[in-house]
Amino acid sequence: MSGAGTEIRLSREMRLLDVTMIGVGAMIGAGIFVLTGIAAGVAGPALIVAFLLNGFVSLLTAMAYAELGSCFHDAGGGYIWVKKGLPEPNGFLAGWMSWFAQAVACSLYSLGFGAYFGLLLRLLGFTGGEDWPISIEKLLAVCAVVILCLINYRGASEAGKTGNFVTAAKILILFVFLGFGLAVMWRNPDWTTHFDGFMAKGWGGVFMAMGLTFIAFEGYEIIAQCSEEVENPKRNIPRAIFISLAIVVPIYLLVAWVAIGAIDGAGVPTWQYLAEKKETALVEAAKQFFVGGGVMILVGGLLSTVSALNATIYSSSRVAFAMARNQNLPDAFAKVSPRHKTPHVAIFGSMLIVIAMLLWLPIEDVAAAADAMFLLLFIQVNLAVIAIRRKMPDLDRGFKVPLFPLIPIVAIVGNVGIAGWLFKYSPMAWVSAGAWIGAGFVLHRFYAAPKEEAAIEHAARVEKIEKKDYRVLVALSSPNTSRSLIEFGVAVARSHGGEIVCLAVVEVPEGRPLVAGLDDTARLNTLVEDGVRVARDAGLTARGLIKVSHRISSGIAETVREEECNFLVLGRRRRPSALQSLFTSALDAMTREAPCDVAIVAGTLRHGIVRRVLVPVDDGPNARLACELAPAIAQWCDADIRPMTVVPEFVTPEAAQKRRAAVEGIIAASGLDQKPLVLRRDDVVEAILESAGTGDVILLGASSAGTVAEALAASTPSRVIERGVVPVVAVRKYEPARAGWLERFLNPR
């Protein structure tokens, strides 16, 4: 949902093959071409066991993704599910961690690309870069990120075609690698000795290698991110998840087995030889298999890291896009490119995180940081599948986790265990993960939670209006003004078929208990009962309420929320004293925060007295509300309507004509068929007052200025109220809460 409340949907153009290839492309990247050598040094020959156990743990969590992805088809994946199943701030943190995890995974893949491309350049004779501010590998990584972000910006179709080709090519290269490697093992009767000391690093090494390489199995999470753009997601999301794992896990096991069993370690155990070569270990292995093998794996590594980078850029941007639609990130992240129909701001926001992480951390810590985030996210998703199964048993599920809830519980235990060993391997990874999560808590507390609450409240109000469940709250304070307020409230309620709530607030000084104000309620009871009687005489449902509060404005605002009111009517003195001005300022501030439309009435507004409703119109939302209310007031008072607008004398004729056309459009959209009176004056207030005669009421939109602006120069409605002699009603249309300093910083307009 955008900030304006407009729903944005992405077209469904991905087939089963496309989305499966995205998952496979994400998985066959770091795990094979980048992390195999590093992980071999951590686990020894038991790297095969680490891959096998990771595949098993991933399958358990993949079942949760398959079930939830088959019944929830919005962009966002695990973030959306945790938000639906678990209490806040779990939902926000799930999206926050998923965004970071995907972005850091991009950093890992781009670093792998840089390492492979840098090696290729050196094979071709390039020798520069030693005295550069950053290494040639990291510079190449940044270039890859920028190019792939531009590809994703162009759209899902282009990215999908590119990804399918690259994924198919790298799978073919791996099969060639495996074929030549198996031939080498076949010719070497002593290949089994390469696995001597199979558990050389113990189970601790196996578990740490699981944590390090867990990122290589998270591609199914990306499949879920694509749900909103996939044909028949109920059927295709579960199938794509299980097909991708069925392709990837056997390839991982075979590559690890061949890499350790087929190469010559040059006097050291083969797993140690692979560890020394780190992210380019498979290149060195392929050199021994056949002539040109190293170049082939270089090409495969480049293709692999590019496709994985492409898939995770796509995924991370969709998480940010989904969070923005749910009011958890600034509205800019929910914007869709008019030309390419992609979330371009989310894509380039993710790009900045990717580049920052790849420049800051070495490749091992980058991998571990991404793993930490994915493990925490997967724990939340497994909890969410349990909660949603119980909360929403009747959901139309294309797949259901078997042996429920045993499998999600086992998955949670496995993820927790891997996370613990990961901390032992890379404390820095958990430092960066913890810093991101801490920043997420701050952002949720001061930005996302208030904004989402306001959006939910606004949606509920709109839904009430659409259902015609309309309620007008009239705040009464004096017998001298109460009849005018009730009359206006009756006019608004009648036009919506609504009801009236008459409210009086007893103010208790700060420091005294609220019960001390109960003695004062009797003097207001008559005022409230008179208001209820007037409303009922007009044929409306009405009831009275007296509120005891430490501040009148707080008591009114609280009642608006408690009674779910759509409209609030307040009274204001025409020329308040200094003390009364403080009260007026408090009410003015409250009208900007009240979760409903508001009218401030000054002067005597009575049925039978008003003969004409004068409506000054500009191009603001409050003027639109005044035009919409004018027929209701005119009908109740049996009066005519006269719209008008004031155009400053200094504007050009062309600008004056544009303003007139805009005002006429507002008037016509409100259902009025009158043409506006157009006055050329530099003083708007003088023009309005000159146009008002005996028997008129001025109905105009309230100022949109904030308190500071109103303190420096009185707003137009305030000046009309204070200088005029006819009744004045200033109305303010409800909008979501005004952005605070943090929101204005994060979401500049």
Side-chain angles (χ1 to χ4, degrees):
M1 190 71 68
S2 75
T6 301
E7 185 177 1
I8 301 172
R9 292 183 178 178
L10 305 178
S11 60
R12 297 189 182 277
E13 58 184 38
M14 287 189 175
R15 300 165 298 167
L16 174 62
L17 175 63
D18 298 321
V19 71
T20 301
M21 284 298 191
I22 281 181
V24 173
M27 285 189 267
I28 298 183
I32 293 296
F33 291 94
V34 178
L35 293 178
T36 297
I38 299 171
V42 176
L47 172 64
I48 298 172
V49 177
F51 279 161
L52 182 63
L53 291 178
N54 262 346
F56 174 72
V57 174
S58 297
L59 177 62
L60 300 181
T61 298
M63 291 183 186
Y65 272 85
E67 174 171 328
L68 295 174
S70 72
C71 53
F72 295 111
H73 307 144
D74 296 327
Y79 156 65
I80 298 296
W81 310 332
V82 173
K83 197 169 187 65
K84 290 180 182 293
L86 303 180
E88 288 296 340
N90 281 282
F92 172 83
L93 290 177
W96 186 245
M97 291 188 297
S98 179
W99 185 25
F100 186 69
Q102 300 289 354
V104 178
C106 292
S107 301
L108 172 65
Y109 302 146
S110 61
L111 286 170
F113 174 87
Y116 274 70
F117 204 91
L119 180 58
L120 179 62
L121 289 177
R122 288 183 171 82
L123 288 176
L124 295 174
F126 179 80
T127 57
E130 288 79 5
D131 56 346
W132 292 2
I134 62 172
S135 67
I136 182 65
E137 289 80 9
K138 292 203 171 187
L139 180 60
L140 290 168
V142 172
C143 293
V145 171
V146 173
I147 293 171
L148 266 296
C149 282
L150 290 174
I151 290 176
N152 271 266
Y153 167 66
R154 290 187 59 193
S157 295
E158 290 82 348
K161 292 171 185 176
T162 304
N164 288 354
F165 170 78
V166 171
T167 300
K170 70 183 179 182
I171 290 176
L172 177 61
I173 288 172
L174 285 177
F175 276 125
V176 173
F177 173 85
L178 290 173
F180 279 97
L182 289 171
V184 171
M185 293 173 67
W186 180 263
R187 294 192 299 267
N188 179 15
D190 297 328
W191 68 267
T192 56
T193 60
H194 294 178
F195 293 91
D196 291 345
F198 188 76
M199 298 296 292
K201 293 290 188 172
W203 282 105
V206 170
F207 295 144
M208 282 191 287
M210 288 177 67
L212 175 64
T213 61
F214 193 77
I215 188 175
F217 296 81
E218 59 78 32
Y220 58 83
E221 203 266 345
I222 295 177
I223 291 173
Q225 306 290 356
C226 308
S227 185
E228 192 170 356
E229 300 174 59
V230 175
E231 295 177 353
N232 192 7
K234 176 183 173 182
R235 175 176 178 266
N236 287 335
I237 291 297
R239 292 179 70 194
I241 287 173
F242 294 125
I243 291 172
S244 63
L245 283 173
I247 292 171
V248 168
V249 174
I251 291 177
Y252 275 34
L253 295 174
L254 285 171
V255 169
W257 184 47
V258 168
I260 295 173
I263 66 171
D264 179 4
V268 300
T270 55
W271 61 268
Q272 290 183 4
Y273 179 82
L274 293 171
E276 291 172 0
K277 302 303 179 181
K278 300 182 73 173
E279 60 263 36
T280 59
L282 288 192
V283 176
E284 300 301 324
K287 285 180 180 178
Q288 299 182 19
F289 293 171
F290 63 97
V291 176
V295 174
M296 183 196 72
I297 292 297
L298 270 177
V299 173
L302 291 172
L303 290 174
S304 177
T305 51
V306 164
S307 66
L309 180 58
N310 174 62
T312 45
I313 286 173
Y314 174 93
S315 177
S316 64
S317 65
R318 265 46 180 192
V319 176
F321 174 73
M323 292 184 72
R325 290 200 304 182
N326 284 316
Q327 310 296 321
N328 287 164
L329 286 179
D331 296 338
F333 285 90
K335 290 183 178 178
V336 175
S337 166
R339 179 179 179 184
H340 299 294
K341 310 303 180 187
T342 54
H344 56 294
V345 177
I347 290 171
F348 292 111
S350 297
M351 182 184 74
L352 296 178
I353 300 176
V354 174
I355 293 175
M357 288 299 292
L358 73 87
L359 292 176
W360 180 41
L361 292 176
I363 191 167
E364 298 91 337
D365 291 322
V366 169
D371 286 323
M373 286 296 186
F374 280 122
L375 287 164
L376 293 174
L377 175 63
F378 291 167
I379 290 169
Q380 286 183 302
V381 170
N382 279 290
L383 290 171
V385 77
I386 295 173
I388 291 174
R389 180 80 75 90
R390 291 173 177 170
K391 287 181 180 179
M392 310 175 193
D394 298 328
L395 277 176
D396 185 14
R397 293 170 167 85
F399 172 83
K400 295 182 74 173
V401 176
L403 301 177
F404 185 87
L406 178 61
I407 285 181
I409 292 173
V410 174
I412 291 169
V413 172
N415 290 328
V416 170
I418 295 173
W421 283 100
L422 186 64
F423 179 79
K424 185 175 181 180
Y425 174 77
S426 175
M428 179 56 69
W430 278 101
V431 169
S432 59
W436 182 261
I437 293 172
F441 272 109
V442 173
L443 186 64
H444 180 266
R445 170 65 179 84
F446 294 104
Y447 176 81
K451 186 177 180 184
E452 186 172 14
E453 181 180 348
I456 291 172
E457 189 175 69
H458 179 62
R461 265 191 34 76
V462 171
E463 183 180 359
K464 274 178 63 67
I465 293 173
E466 290 175 348
K467 291 180 178 179
K468 306 301 180 185
D469 183 12
Y470 204 87
R471 188 169 294 118
V472 177
L473 179 69
V474 182
L476 306 174
S477 60
S478 167
N480 298 327
T481 60
S482 62
R483 184 60 183 263
S484 294
L485 303 186
I486 290 292
E487 294 262 2
F488 186 84
V490 166
V492 175
R494 279 169 60 93
S495 67
H496 289 85
E499 63 176 284
I500 295 281
V501 177
C502 296
L503 170 72
V505 180
V506 176
E507 188 172 46
V508 178
E510 292 287 350
R512 296 186 61 193
L514 291 178
V515 293
L518 295 178
D519 294 338
D520 293 335
T521 58
R523 65 179 177 84
L524 295 175
N525 191 54
T526 301
L527 185 66
V528 171
E529 288 182 347
D530 288 345
V532 170
R533 186 182 66 256
V534 172
R536 288 176 178 172
D537 289 344
L540 297 178
T541 301
R543 53 196 172 88
L545 179 64
I546 297 177
K547 190 88 170 180
V548 181
S549 175
H550 283 124
R551 289 184 300 277
I552 292 178
S553 58
S554 298
I556 295 173
E558 184 179 295
T559 305
V560 169
R561 292 183 173 86
E562 290 174 346
E563 298 296 322
E564 298 182 334
C565 296
N566 306 86
F567 204 99
L568 170 63
V569 182
L570 301 167
R572 172 176 170 174
R573 291 181 179 273
R574 194 176 292 280
R575 297 175 184 84
S577 64
L579 182 61
Q580 291 163 343
S581 293
L582 295 176
F583 171 75
T584 300
S585 298
L587 287 185
D588 286 347
M590 189 270 293
T591 62
R592 284 186 291 273
E593 301 170 3
C596 65
D597 298 337
V598 181
I600 300 176
V601 180
T604 303
L605 176 66
R606 295 284 179 85
H607 176 75
I609 296 179
V610 174
R611 291 288 175 260
R612 188 176 69 164
V613 181
L614 183 67
V615 189
V617 184
D618 58 21
D619 57 355
N622 296 327
R624 292 183 177 90
L625 178 59
C627 291
E628 293 167 4
L629 291 173
I633 309 307
Q635 183 179 4
W636 173 244
C637 296
D638 192 22
D640 298 325
I641 300 174
R642 182 55 164 166
M644 64 167 294
T645 190
V646 181
V647 180
E649 293 182 340
F650 59 80
V651 303
T652 64
E654 292 80 9
Q657 182 59 36
K658 287 183 179 179
R659 180 182 179 89
R660 177 170 183 165
V663 167
E664 288 178 349
I666 293 171
I667 293 170
S670 304
L672 301 179
D673 56 6
Q674 294 93 336
K675 292 293 184 180
L677 170 66
V678 181
L679 299 179
R680 296 297 295 265
R681 300 280 196 283
D682 286 333
D683 191 325
V684 176
V685 174
E686 286 293 340
I688 293 174
L689 295 177
E690 287 175 12
S691 303
T694 304
D696 281 1
V697 59
I698 301 174
L699 177 63
L700 76 169
S703 170
S704 298
T707 357
V708 174
E710 291 179 354
L712 295 174
S715 66
T716 295
S718 296
R719 292 167 61 202
V720 171
I721 290 172
E722 293 172 6
R723 294 176 55 185
V725 294
V726 300
V728 179
V729 180
V731 296
R732 183 186 297 275
K733 188 171 183 61
Y734 169 69
E735 294 291 341
R738 184 185 296 272
W741 66 268
L742 180 59
E743 182 171 349
R744 291 196 298 272
F745 173 76
L746 292 172
N747 192 28
R749 296 292 182 182

